[in-house]
PDB file of all heavy atoms in Angstrom:
ATOM      1  N   ASP A 423     -17.379 -23.952   3.752  1.00  0.00           N
ATOM      2  CA  ASP A 423     -18.639 -24.085   3.004  1.00  0.00           C
ATOM      3  C   ASP A 423     -18.743 -25.489   2.372  1.00  0.00           C
ATOM      4  O   ASP A 423     -19.761 -26.170   2.501  1.00  0.00           O
ATOM      5  CB  ASP A 423     -18.682 -22.982   1.931  1.00  0.00           C
ATOM      6  CG  ASP A 423     -20.016 -22.909   1.196  1.00  0.00           C
ATOM      7  OD1 ASP A 423     -20.969 -23.602   1.604  1.00  0.00           O
ATOM      8  OD2 ASP A 423     -20.109 -22.155   0.211  1.00  0.00           O
ATOM      9  N   LEU A 424     -17.670 -25.922   1.719  1.00  0.00           N
ATOM     10  CA  LEU A 424     -17.684 -27.230   1.053  1.00  0.00           C
ATOM     11  C   LEU A 424     -17.847 -28.358   2.080  1.00  0.00           C
ATOM     12  O   LEU A 424     -18.551 -29.340   1.845  1.00  0.00           O
ATOM     13  CB  LEU A 424     -16.402 -27.432   0.240  1.00  0.00           C
ATOM     14  CG  LEU A 424     -16.223 -26.481  -0.958  1.00  0.00           C
ATOM     15  CD1 LEU A 424     -14.850 -26.655  -1.582  1.00  0.00           C
ATOM     16  CD2 LEU A 424     -17.325 -26.682  -1.989  1.00  0.00           C
ATOM     17  N   TYR A 425     -17.206 -28.188   3.236  1.00  0.00           N
ATOM     18  CA  TYR A 425     -17.347 -29.199   4.292  1.00  0.00           C
ATOM     19  C   TYR A 425     -18.790 -29.270   4.767  1.00  0.00           C
ATOM     20  O   TYR A 425     -19.366 -30.343   4.923  1.00  0.00           O
ATOM     21  CB  TYR A 425     -16.413 -28.880   5.473  1.00  0.00           C
ATOM     22  CG  TYR A 425     -16.380 -29.986   6.503  1.00  0.00           C
ATOM     23  CD1 TYR A 425     -15.439 -31.000   6.424  1.00  0.00           C
ATOM     24  CD2 TYR A 425     -17.326 -30.030   7.532  1.00  0.00           C
ATOM     25  CE1 TYR A 425     -15.423 -32.032   7.342  1.00  0.00           C
ATOM     26  CE2 TYR A 425     -17.319 -31.058   8.454  1.00  0.00           C
ATOM     27  CZ  TYR A 425     -16.363 -32.064   8.361  1.00  0.00           C
ATOM     28  OH  TYR A 425     -16.360 -33.080   9.269  1.00  0.00           O
ATOM     29  N   GLN A 426     -19.367 -28.090   4.991  1.00  0.00           N
ATOM     30  CA  GLN A 426     -20.757 -28.026   5.462  1.00  0.00           C
ATOM     31  C   GLN A 426     -21.725 -28.632   4.435  1.00  0.00           C
ATOM     32  O   GLN A 426     -22.760 -29.168   4.796  1.00  0.00           O
ATOM     33  CB  GLN A 426     -21.154 -26.569   5.747  1.00  0.00           C
ATOM     34  CG  GLN A 426     -20.341 -25.902   6.861  1.00  0.00           C
ATOM     35  CD  GLN A 426     -20.845 -26.263   8.254  1.00  0.00           C
ATOM     36  OE1 GLN A 426     -22.029 -26.459   8.456  1.00  0.00           O
ATOM     37  NE2 GLN A 426     -19.936 -26.387   9.210  1.00  0.00           N
ATOM     38  N   GLN A 427     -21.361 -28.519   3.157  1.00  0.00           N
ATOM     39  CA  GLN A 427     -22.195 -29.109   2.102  1.00  0.00           C
ATOM     40  C   GLN A 427     -21.966 -30.616   1.959  1.00  0.00           C
ATOM     41  O   GLN A 427     -22.607 -31.268   1.150  1.00  0.00           O
ATOM     42  CB  GLN A 427     -21.883 -28.456   0.748  1.00  0.00           C
ATOM     43  CG  GLN A 427     -22.323 -27.014   0.597  1.00  0.00           C
ATOM     44  CD  GLN A 427     -22.029 -26.504  -0.805  1.00  0.00           C
ATOM     45  OE1 GLN A 427     -22.188 -27.220  -1.787  1.00  0.00           O
ATOM     46  NE2 GLN A 427     -21.570 -25.269  -0.901  1.00  0.00           N
ATOM     47  N   GLY A 428     -21.009 -31.130   2.699  1.00  0.00           N
ATOM     48  CA  GLY A 428     -20.716 -32.550   2.651  1.00  0.00           C
ATOM     49  C   GLY A 428     -19.840 -32.975   1.481  1.00  0.00           C
ATOM     50  O   GLY A 428     -19.736 -34.150   1.142  1.00  0.00           O
ATOM     51  N   LYS A 429     -19.203 -32.006   0.835  1.00  0.00           N
ATOM     52  CA  LYS A 429     -18.370 -32.337  -0.327  1.00  0.00           C
ATOM     53  C   LYS A 429     -16.947 -32.717   0.078  1.00  0.00           C
ATOM     54  O   LYS A 429     -16.160 -33.171  -0.732  1.00  0.00           O
ATOM     55  CB  LYS A 429     -18.281 -31.127  -1.267  1.00  0.00           C
ATOM     56  CG  LYS A 429     -19.584 -30.783  -1.984  1.00  0.00           C
ATOM     57  CD  LYS A 429     -19.352 -29.618  -2.937  1.00  0.00           C
ATOM     58  CE  LYS A 429     -20.638 -29.026  -3.434  1.00  0.00           C
ATOM     59  NZ  LYS A 429     -21.437 -29.937  -4.269  1.00  0.00           N
ATOM     60  N   LEU A 430     -16.616 -32.470   1.334  1.00  0.00           N
ATOM     61  CA  LEU A 430     -15.225 -32.627   1.762  1.00  0.00           C
ATOM     62  C   LEU A 430     -15.126 -33.721   2.819  1.00  0.00           C
ATOM     63  O   LEU A 430     -15.880 -33.725   3.787  1.00  0.00           O
ATOM     64  CB  LEU A 430     -14.784 -31.291   2.383  1.00  0.00           C
ATOM     65  CG  LEU A 430     -13.466 -30.685   1.938  1.00  0.00           C
ATOM     66  CD1 LEU A 430     -13.334 -29.298   2.507  1.00  0.00           C
ATOM     67  CD2 LEU A 430     -12.314 -31.544   2.306  1.00  0.00           C
ATOM     68  N   ASP A 431     -14.184 -34.615   2.618  1.00  0.00           N
ATOM     69  CA  ASP A 431     -14.028 -35.728   3.546  1.00  0.00           C
ATOM     70  C   ASP A 431     -13.163 -35.329   4.746  1.00  0.00           C
ATOM     71  O   ASP A 431     -12.183 -34.615   4.603  1.00  0.00           O
ATOM     72  CB  ASP A 431     -13.361 -36.899   2.795  1.00  0.00           C
ATOM     73  CG  ASP A 431     -13.566 -38.198   3.545  1.00  0.00           C
ATOM     74  OD1 ASP A 431     -13.098 -38.290   4.697  1.00  0.00           O
ATOM     75  OD2 ASP A 431     -14.208 -39.101   2.970  1.00  0.00           O
ATOM     76  N   LYS A 432     -13.559 -35.820   5.912  1.00  0.00           N
ATOM     77  CA  LYS A 432     -12.817 -35.526   7.144  1.00  0.00           C
ATOM     78  C   LYS A 432     -11.383 -36.067   7.117  1.00  0.00           C
ATOM     79  O   LYS A 432     -10.505 -35.568   7.821  1.00  0.00           O
ATOM     80  CB  LYS A 432     -13.589 -36.167   8.315  1.00  0.00           C
ATOM     81  CG  LYS A 432     -13.532 -35.404   9.601  1.00  0.00           C
ATOM     82  CD  LYS A 432     -14.624 -35.929  10.509  1.00  0.00           C
ATOM     83  CE  LYS A 432     -14.216 -35.939  11.949  1.00  0.00           C
ATOM     84  NZ  LYS A 432     -15.267 -36.472  12.823  1.00  0.00           N
ATOM     85  N   LYS A 433     -11.179 -37.102   6.288  1.00  0.00           N
ATOM     86  CA  LYS A 433      -9.821 -37.662   6.185  1.00  0.00           C
ATOM     87  C   LYS A 433      -8.843 -36.610   5.653  1.00  0.00           C
ATOM     88  O   LYS A 433      -7.660 -36.595   5.982  1.00  0.00           O
ATOM     89  CB  LYS A 433      -9.832 -38.854   5.220  1.00  0.00           C
ATOM     90  CG  LYS A 433     -10.148 -40.181   5.903  1.00  0.00           C
ATOM     91  CD  LYS A 433     -10.055 -41.326   4.898  1.00  0.00           C
ATOM     92  CE  LYS A 433     -11.424 -41.963   4.747  1.00  0.00           C
ATOM     93  NZ  LYS A 433     -11.635 -42.698   3.520  1.00  0.00           N
ATOM     94  N   LEU A 434      -9.387 -35.735   4.793  1.00  0.00           N
ATOM     95  CA  LEU A 434      -8.568 -34.703   4.157  1.00  0.00           C
ATOM     96  C   LEU A 434      -8.206 -33.576   5.120  1.00  0.00           C
ATOM     97  O   LEU A 434      -7.173 -32.923   4.991  1.00  0.00           O
ATOM     98  CB  LEU A 434      -9.373 -34.126   2.987  1.00  0.00           C
ATOM     99  CG  LEU A 434      -8.642 -33.772   1.712  1.00  0.00           C
ATOM    100  CD1 LEU A 434      -7.955 -34.979   1.111  1.00  0.00           C
ATOM    101  CD2 LEU A 434      -9.641 -33.194   0.717  1.00  0.00           C
ATOM    102  N   THR A 435      -9.094 -33.339   6.084  1.00  0.00           N
ATOM    103  CA  THR A 435      -8.932 -32.177   6.965  1.00  0.00           C
ATOM    104  C   THR A 435      -8.207 -32.521   8.267  1.00  0.00           C
ATOM    105  O   THR A 435      -8.328 -31.793   9.252  1.00  0.00           O
ATOM    106  CB  THR A 435     -10.302 -31.562   7.316  1.00  0.00           C
ATOM    107  OG1 THR A 435     -11.068 -32.552   8.024  1.00  0.00           O
ATOM    108  CG2 THR A 435     -11.074 -31.140   6.080  1.00  0.00           C
ATOM    109  N   ASP A 436      -7.496 -33.612   8.268  1.00  0.00           N
ATOM    110  CA  ASP A 436      -6.786 -34.081   9.468  1.00  0.00           C
ATOM    111  C   ASP A 436      -7.768 -34.321  10.620  1.00  0.00           C
ATOM    112  O   ASP A 436      -7.453 -34.054  11.793  1.00  0.00           O
ATOM    113  CB  ASP A 436      -5.714 -33.068   9.932  1.00  0.00           C
ATOM    114  CG  ASP A 436      -4.775 -32.665   8.816  1.00  0.00           C
ATOM    115  OD1 ASP A 436      -4.563 -33.487   7.910  1.00  0.00           O
ATOM    116  OD2 ASP A 436      -4.267 -31.528   8.839  1.00  0.00           O
ATOM    117  N   GLY A 437      -8.973 -34.748  10.255  1.00  0.00           N
ATOM    118  CA  GLY A 437      -9.965 -35.075  11.282  1.00  0.00           C
ATOM    119  C   GLY A 437     -10.764 -33.895  11.799  1.00  0.00           C
ATOM    120  O   GLY A 437     -11.623 -34.041  12.662  1.00  0.00           O
ATOM    121  N   GLU A 438     -10.474 -32.705  11.292  1.00  0.00           N
ATOM    122  CA  GLU A 438     -11.205 -31.518  11.753  1.00  0.00           C
ATOM    123  C   GLU A 438     -12.609 -31.480  11.140  1.00  0.00           C
ATOM    124  O   GLU A 438     -12.774 -31.732   9.951  1.00  0.00           O
ATOM    125  CB  GLU A 438     -10.489 -30.233  11.301  1.00  0.00           C
ATOM    126  CG  GLU A 438      -9.095 -30.054  11.821  1.00  0.00           C
ATOM    127  CD  GLU A 438      -9.017 -29.028  12.953  1.00  0.00           C
ATOM    128  OE1 GLU A 438     -10.068 -28.657  13.509  1.00  0.00           O
ATOM    129  OE2 GLU A 438      -7.885 -28.633  13.259  1.00  0.00           O
ATOM    130  N   GLU A 439     -13.603 -31.140  11.959  1.00  0.00           N
ATOM    131  CA  GLU A 439     -14.918 -30.822  11.409  1.00  0.00           C
ATOM    132  C   GLU A 439     -14.938 -29.324  11.170  1.00  0.00           C
ATOM    133  O   GLU A 439     -14.974 -28.529  12.109  1.00  0.00           O
ATOM    134  CB  GLU A 439     -16.017 -31.198  12.416  1.00  0.00           C
ATOM    135  CG  GLU A 439     -16.180 -32.690  12.557  1.00  0.00           C
ATOM    136  CD  GLU A 439     -17.211 -33.065  13.617  1.00  0.00           C
ATOM    137  OE1 GLU A 439     -18.003 -32.193  14.017  1.00  0.00           O
ATOM    138  OE2 GLU A 439     -17.191 -34.222  14.035  1.00  0.00           O
ATOM    139  N   LEU A 440     -14.889 -28.920   9.910  1.00  0.00           N
ATOM    140  CA  LEU A 440     -14.751 -27.489   9.635  1.00  0.00           C
ATOM    141  C   LEU A 440     -16.043 -26.747   9.976  1.00  0.00           C
ATOM    142  O   LEU A 440     -17.115 -27.120   9.543  1.00  0.00           O
ATOM    143  CB  LEU A 440     -14.377 -27.256   8.166  1.00  0.00           C
ATOM    144  CG  LEU A 440     -13.090 -27.930   7.672  1.00  0.00           C
ATOM    145  CD1 LEU A 440     -12.761 -27.463   6.258  1.00  0.00           C
ATOM    146  CD2 LEU A 440     -11.912 -27.631   8.589  1.00  0.00           C
ATOM    147  N   ARG A 441     -15.872 -25.689  10.786  1.00  0.00           N
ATOM    148  CA  ARG A 441     -17.038 -24.940  11.293  1.00  0.00           C
ATOM    149  C   ARG A 441     -16.846 -23.448  11.068  1.00  0.00           C
ATOM    150  O   ARG A 441     -15.727 -22.950  11.067  1.00  0.00           O
ATOM    151  CB  ARG A 441     -17.157 -25.108  12.817  1.00  0.00           C
ATOM    152  CG  ARG A 441     -17.465 -26.434  13.350  1.00  0.00           C
ATOM    153  CD  ARG A 441     -17.538 -26.374  14.865  1.00  0.00           C
ATOM    154  NE  ARG A 441     -16.215 -26.459  15.449  1.00  0.00           N
ATOM    155  CZ  ARG A 441     -15.620 -27.614  15.734  1.00  0.00           C
ATOM    156  NH1 ARG A 441     -16.216 -28.759  15.477  1.00  0.00           N
ATOM    157  NH2 ARG A 441     -14.414 -27.639  16.265  1.00  0.00           N
ATOM    158  N   TRP A 442     -17.973 -22.739  10.951  1.00  0.00           N
ATOM    159  CA  TRP A 442     -17.929 -21.276  10.919  1.00  0.00           C
ATOM    160  C   TRP A 442     -17.592 -20.762  12.308  1.00  0.00           C
ATOM    161  O   TRP A 442     -18.086 -21.282  13.312  1.00  0.00           O
ATOM    162  CB  TRP A 442     -19.286 -20.692  10.496  1.00  0.00           C
ATOM    163  CG  TRP A 442     -19.769 -21.118   9.152  1.00  0.00           C
ATOM    164  CD1 TRP A 442     -20.868 -21.879   8.896  1.00  0.00           C
ATOM    165  CD2 TRP A 442     -19.184 -20.811   7.886  1.00  0.00           C
ATOM    166  NE1 TRP A 442     -21.004 -22.068   7.544  1.00  0.00           N
ATOM    167  CE2 TRP A 442     -19.984 -21.422   6.888  1.00  0.00           C
ATOM    168  CE3 TRP A 442     -18.064 -20.085   7.478  1.00  0.00           C
ATOM    169  CZ2 TRP A 442     -19.707 -21.322   5.525  1.00  0.00           C
ATOM    170  CZ3 TRP A 442     -17.793 -19.996   6.115  1.00  0.00           C
ATOM    171  CH2 TRP A 442     -18.594 -20.602   5.164  1.00  0.00           C
ATOM    172  N   GLY A 443     -16.739 -19.744  12.365  1.00  0.00           N
ATOM    173  CA  GLY A 443     -16.529 -19.011  13.608  1.00  0.00           C
ATOM    174  C   GLY A 443     -15.743 -19.740  14.684  1.00  0.00           C
ATOM    175  O   GLY A 443     -15.850 -19.398  15.847  1.00  0.00           O
ATOM    176  N   ASP A 444     -14.950 -20.731  14.329  1.00  0.00           N
ATOM    177  CA  ASP A 444     -14.133 -21.432  15.326  1.00  0.00           C
ATOM    178  C   ASP A 444     -12.714 -20.856  15.281  1.00  0.00           C
ATOM    179  O   ASP A 444     -11.905 -21.203  14.419  1.00  0.00           O
ATOM    180  CB  ASP A 444     -14.135 -22.937  15.036  1.00  0.00           C
ATOM    181  CG  ASP A 444     -13.413 -23.742  16.118  1.00  0.00           C
ATOM    182  OD1 ASP A 444     -12.518 -23.181  16.789  1.00  0.00           O
ATOM    183  OD2 ASP A 444     -13.740 -24.931  16.276  1.00  0.00           O
ATOM    184  N   TYR A 445     -12.423 -19.987  16.239  1.00  0.00           N
ATOM    185  CA  TYR A 445     -11.146 -19.272  16.257  1.00  0.00           C
ATOM    186  C   TYR A 445      -9.949 -20.215  16.353  1.00  0.00           C
ATOM    187  O   TYR A 445      -9.003 -20.122  15.568  1.00  0.00           O
ATOM    188  CB  TYR A 445     -11.138 -18.266  17.418  1.00  0.00           C
ATOM    189  CG  TYR A 445      -9.802 -17.623  17.679  1.00  0.00           C
ATOM    190  CD1 TYR A 445      -9.295 -16.649  16.818  1.00  0.00           C
ATOM    191  CD2 TYR A 445      -9.038 -17.970  18.794  1.00  0.00           C
ATOM    192  CE1 TYR A 445      -8.067 -16.048  17.045  1.00  0.00           C
ATOM    193  CE2 TYR A 445      -7.805 -17.370  19.038  1.00  0.00           C
ATOM    194  CZ  TYR A 445      -7.321 -16.422  18.157  1.00  0.00           C
ATOM    195  OH  TYR A 445      -6.107 -15.843  18.386  1.00  0.00           O
ATOM    196  N   GLU A 446     -10.008 -21.140  17.319  1.00  0.00           N
ATOM    197  CA  GLU A 446      -8.869 -22.046  17.525  1.00  0.00           C
ATOM    198  C   GLU A 446      -8.601 -22.873  16.268  1.00  0.00           C
ATOM    199  O   GLU A 446      -7.448 -23.103  15.889  1.00  0.00           O
ATOM    200  CB  GLU A 446      -9.155 -22.997  18.708  1.00  0.00           C
ATOM    201  CG  GLU A 446      -9.336 -22.304  20.054  1.00  0.00           C
ATOM    202  CD  GLU A 446      -8.087 -21.555  20.524  1.00  0.00           C
ATOM    203  OE1 GLU A 446      -6.992 -21.914  20.064  1.00  0.00           O
ATOM    204  OE2 GLU A 446      -8.226 -20.615  21.331  1.00  0.00           O
ATOM    205  N   GLN A 447      -9.684 -23.300  15.636  1.00  0.00           N
ATOM    206  CA  GLN A 447      -9.523 -24.091  14.407  1.00  0.00           C
ATOM    207  C   GLN A 447      -8.887 -23.247  13.289  1.00  0.00           C
ATOM    208  O   GLN A 447      -7.999 -23.715  12.577  1.00  0.00           O
ATOM    209  CB  GLN A 447     -10.895 -24.597  13.958  1.00  0.00           C
ATOM    210  CG  GLN A 447     -10.831 -25.492  12.741  1.00  0.00           C
ATOM    211  CD  GLN A 447     -12.213 -26.038  12.391  1.00  0.00           C
ATOM    212  OE1 GLN A 447     -13.074 -25.315  11.913  1.00  0.00           O
ATOM    213  NE2 GLN A 447     -12.419 -27.316  12.636  1.00  0.00           N
ATOM    214  N   ALA A 448      -9.345 -21.998  13.187  1.00  0.00           N
ATOM    215  CA  ALA A 448      -8.783 -21.112  12.154  1.00  0.00           C
ATOM    216  C   ALA A 448      -7.280 -20.925  12.387  1.00  0.00           C
ATOM    217  O   ALA A 448      -6.482 -20.982  11.444  1.00  0.00           O
ATOM    218  CB  ALA A 448      -9.506 -19.770  12.159  1.00  0.00           C
ATOM    219  N   VAL A 449      -6.883 -20.721  13.649  1.00  0.00           N
ATOM    220  CA  VAL A 449      -5.461 -20.553  13.975  1.00  0.00           C
ATOM    221  C   VAL A 449      -4.671 -21.802  13.555  1.00  0.00           C
ATOM    222  O   VAL A 449      -3.605 -21.699  12.921  1.00  0.00           O
ATOM    223  CB  VAL A 449      -5.269 -20.277  15.492  1.00  0.00           C
ATOM    224  CG1 VAL A 449      -3.792 -20.353  15.879  1.00  0.00           C
ATOM    225  CG2 VAL A 449      -5.840 -18.917  15.868  1.00  0.00           C
ATOM    226  N   ARG A 450      -5.222 -22.973  13.888  1.00  0.00           N
ATOM    227  CA  ARG A 450      -4.528 -24.228  13.531  1.00  0.00           C
ATOM    228  C   ARG A 450      -4.326 -24.337  12.022  1.00  0.00           C
ATOM    229  O   ARG A 450      -3.232 -24.636  11.543  1.00  0.00           O
ATOM    230  CB  ARG A 450      -5.350 -25.443  14.006  1.00  0.00           C
ATOM    231  CG  ARG A 450      -5.172 -25.812  15.458  1.00  0.00           C
ATOM    232  CD  ARG A 450      -5.702 -27.221  15.749  1.00  0.00           C
ATOM    233  NE  ARG A 450      -7.125 -27.388  15.477  1.00  0.00           N
ATOM    234  CZ  ARG A 450      -8.106 -27.050  16.325  1.00  0.00           C
ATOM    235  NH1 ARG A 450      -7.822 -26.513  17.503  1.00  0.00           N
ATOM    236  NH2 ARG A 450      -9.374 -27.242  16.011  1.00  0.00           N
ATOM    237  N   ILE A 451      -5.408 -24.077  11.285  1.00  0.00           N
ATOM    238  CA  ILE A 451      -5.324 -24.262   9.826  1.00  0.00           C
ATOM    239  C   ILE A 451      -4.404 -23.227   9.174  1.00  0.00           C
ATOM    240  O   ILE A 451      -3.606 -23.557   8.295  1.00  0.00           O
ATOM    241  CB  ILE A 451      -6.732 -24.241   9.189  1.00  0.00           C
ATOM    242  CG1 ILE A 451      -7.556 -25.422   9.728  1.00  0.00           C
ATOM    243  CG2 ILE A 451      -6.648 -24.323   7.660  1.00  0.00           C
ATOM    244  CD1 ILE A 451      -8.991 -25.455   9.260  1.00  0.00           C
ATOM    245  N   ILE A 452      -4.489 -21.991   9.639  1.00  0.00           N
ATOM    246  CA  ILE A 452      -3.627 -20.943   9.063  1.00  0.00           C
ATOM    247  C   ILE A 452      -2.150 -21.304   9.276  1.00  0.00           C
ATOM    248  O   ILE A 452      -1.329 -21.194   8.365  1.00  0.00           O
ATOM    249  CB  ILE A 452      -3.968 -19.563   9.672  1.00  0.00           C
ATOM    250  CG1 ILE A 452      -5.329 -19.078   9.135  1.00  0.00           C
ATOM    251  CG2 ILE A 452      -2.890 -18.528   9.367  1.00  0.00           C
ATOM    252  CD1 ILE A 452      -5.922 -17.892   9.868  1.00  0.00           C
ATOM    253  N   ASN A 453      -1.814 -21.745  10.480  1.00  0.00           N
ATOM    254  CA  ASN A 453      -0.431 -22.169  10.745  1.00  0.00           C
ATOM    255  C   ASN A 453      -0.014 -23.329   9.841  1.00  0.00           C
ATOM    256  O   ASN A 453       1.111 -23.379   9.334  1.00  0.00           O
ATOM    257  CB  ASN A 453      -0.260 -22.568  12.214  1.00  0.00           C
ATOM    258  CG  ASN A 453       0.085 -21.375  13.089  1.00  0.00           C
ATOM    259  OD1 ASN A 453       1.045 -20.660  12.822  1.00  0.00           O
ATOM    260  ND2 ASN A 453      -0.712 -21.148  14.115  1.00  0.00           N
ATOM    261  N   LYS A 454      -0.934 -24.259   9.636  1.00  0.00           N
ATOM    262  CA  LYS A 454      -0.619 -25.410   8.769  1.00  0.00           C
ATOM    263  C   LYS A 454      -0.445 -24.993   7.316  1.00  0.00           C
ATOM    264  O   LYS A 454       0.374 -25.577   6.594  1.00  0.00           O
ATOM    265  CB  LYS A 454      -1.750 -26.441   8.858  1.00  0.00           C
ATOM    266  CG  LYS A 454      -1.710 -27.306  10.099  1.00  0.00           C
ATOM    267  CD  LYS A 454      -2.820 -28.334  10.012  1.00  0.00           C
ATOM    268  CE  LYS A 454      -2.796 -29.265  11.201  1.00  0.00           C
ATOM    269  NZ  LYS A 454      -3.908 -30.227  11.112  1.00  0.00           N
ATOM    270  N   ILE A 455      -1.227 -24.004   6.881  1.00  0.00           N
ATOM    271  CA  ILE A 455      -1.081 -23.529   5.488  1.00  0.00           C
ATOM    272  C   ILE A 455       0.333 -22.975   5.296  1.00  0.00           C
ATOM    273  O   ILE A 455       1.045 -23.350   4.367  1.00  0.00           O
ATOM    274  CB  ILE A 455      -2.123 -22.434   5.152  1.00  0.00           C
ATOM    275  CG1 ILE A 455      -3.552 -22.999   5.120  1.00  0.00           C
ATOM    276  CG2 ILE A 455      -1.792 -21.777   3.802  1.00  0.00           C
ATOM    277  CD1 ILE A 455      -4.646 -21.944   4.975  1.00  0.00           C
ATOM    278  N   ALA A 456       0.730 -22.064   6.207  1.00  0.00           N
ATOM    279  CA  ALA A 456       2.030 -21.408   6.057  1.00  0.00           C
ATOM    280  C   ALA A 456       3.176 -22.417   6.070  1.00  0.00           C
ATOM    281  O   ALA A 456       4.211 -22.206   5.445  1.00  0.00           O
ATOM    282  CB  ALA A 456       2.225 -20.367   7.150  1.00  0.00           C
ATOM    283  N   ARG A 457       2.979 -23.526   6.801  1.00  0.00           N
ATOM    284  CA  ARG A 457       4.058 -24.527   6.910  1.00  0.00           C
ATOM    285  C   ARG A 457       3.812 -25.745   6.037  1.00  0.00           C
ATOM    286  O   ARG A 457       4.550 -26.715   6.086  1.00  0.00           O
ATOM    287  CB  ARG A 457       4.243 -24.910   8.382  1.00  0.00           C
ATOM    288  CG  ARG A 457       4.626 -23.688   9.199  1.00  0.00           C
ATOM    289  CD  ARG A 457       5.092 -23.958  10.584  1.00  0.00           C
ATOM    290  NE  ARG A 457       5.729 -22.754  11.098  1.00  0.00           N
ATOM    291  CZ  ARG A 457       5.085 -21.708  11.628  1.00  0.00           C
ATOM    292  NH1 ARG A 457       3.782 -21.728  11.737  1.00  0.00           N
ATOM    293  NH2 ARG A 457       5.743 -20.647  12.041  1.00  0.00           N
ATOM    294  N   ARG A 458       2.732 -25.696   5.275  1.00  0.00           N
ATOM    295  CA  ARG A 458       2.361 -26.786   4.362  1.00  0.00           C
ATOM    296  C   ARG A 458       2.282 -28.132   5.079  1.00  0.00           C
ATOM    297  O   ARG A 458       2.837 -29.136   4.615  1.00  0.00           O
ATOM    298  CB  ARG A 458       3.337 -26.858   3.185  1.00  0.00           C
ATOM    299  CG  ARG A 458       2.989 -25.880   2.061  1.00  0.00           C
ATOM    300  CD  ARG A 458       3.767 -26.223   0.809  1.00  0.00           C
ATOM    301  NE  ARG A 458       3.439 -25.378  -0.319  1.00  0.00           N
ATOM    302  CZ  ARG A 458       2.512 -25.686  -1.251  1.00  0.00           C
ATOM    303  NH1 ARG A 458       1.836 -26.817  -1.164  1.00  0.00           N
ATOM    304  NH2 ARG A 458       2.287 -24.874  -2.258  1.00  0.00           N
ATOM    305  N   GLU A 459       1.586 -28.152   6.188  1.00  0.00           N
ATOM    306  CA  GLU A 459       1.414 -29.405   6.932  1.00  0.00           C
ATOM    307  C   GLU A 459      -0.004 -29.931   6.742  1.00  0.00           C
ATOM    308  O   GLU A 459      -0.972 -29.161   6.828  1.00  0.00           O
ATOM    309  CB  GLU A 459       1.646 -29.163   8.432  1.00  0.00           C
ATOM    310  CG  GLU A 459       3.088 -28.822   8.790  1.00  0.00           C
ATOM    311  CD  GLU A 459       3.227 -28.218  10.182  1.00  0.00           C
ATOM    312  OE1 GLU A 459       2.204 -28.102  10.896  1.00  0.00           O
ATOM    313  OE2 GLU A 459       4.359 -27.833  10.541  1.00  0.00           O
ATOM    314  N   GLY A 460      -0.142 -31.218   6.532  1.00  0.00           N
ATOM    315  CA  GLY A 460      -1.448 -31.880   6.477  1.00  0.00           C
ATOM    316  C   GLY A 460      -2.430 -31.183   5.560  1.00  0.00           C
ATOM    317  O   GLY A 460      -2.154 -30.919   4.394  1.00  0.00           O
ATOM    318  N   PHE A 461      -3.617 -30.849   6.102  1.00  0.00           N
ATOM    319  CA  PHE A 461      -4.658 -30.172   5.332  1.00  0.00           C
ATOM    320  C   PHE A 461      -4.161 -28.815   4.796  1.00  0.00           C
ATOM    321  O   PHE A 461      -4.548 -28.371   3.721  1.00  0.00           O
ATOM    322  CB  PHE A 461      -5.894 -29.978   6.229  1.00  0.00           C
ATOM    323  CG  PHE A 461      -7.061 -29.340   5.538  1.00  0.00           C
ATOM    324  CD1 PHE A 461      -7.511 -29.797   4.294  1.00  0.00           C
ATOM    325  CD2 PHE A 461      -7.745 -28.276   6.129  1.00  0.00           C
ATOM    326  CE1 PHE A 461      -8.605 -29.205   3.668  1.00  0.00           C
ATOM    327  CE2 PHE A 461      -8.831 -27.679   5.506  1.00  0.00           C
ATOM    328  CZ  PHE A 461      -9.264 -28.140   4.264  1.00  0.00           C
TER     329      PHE A 461
END
Side-chain angles (χ1 to χ4, degrees):
Chain A
D423 187 8
L424 294 173
Y425 188 91
Q426 297 279 327
Q427 291 183 39
K429 291 183 193 295
L430 229 172
D431 198 299
K432 214 164 144 181
K433 271 184 244 158
L434 218 60
T435 62
D436 308 331
E438 299 256 14
E439 289 177 16
L440 302 187
R441 294 180 277 273
W442 301 114
D444 186 334
Y445 171 74
E446 297 297 337
Q447 183 176 72
V449 170
R450 278 196 299 277
I451 297 176
I452 288 167
N453 273 306
K454 281 184 178 178
I455 292 172
R457 299 191 166 82
R458 277 194 177 266
E459 292 164 2
F461 182 49

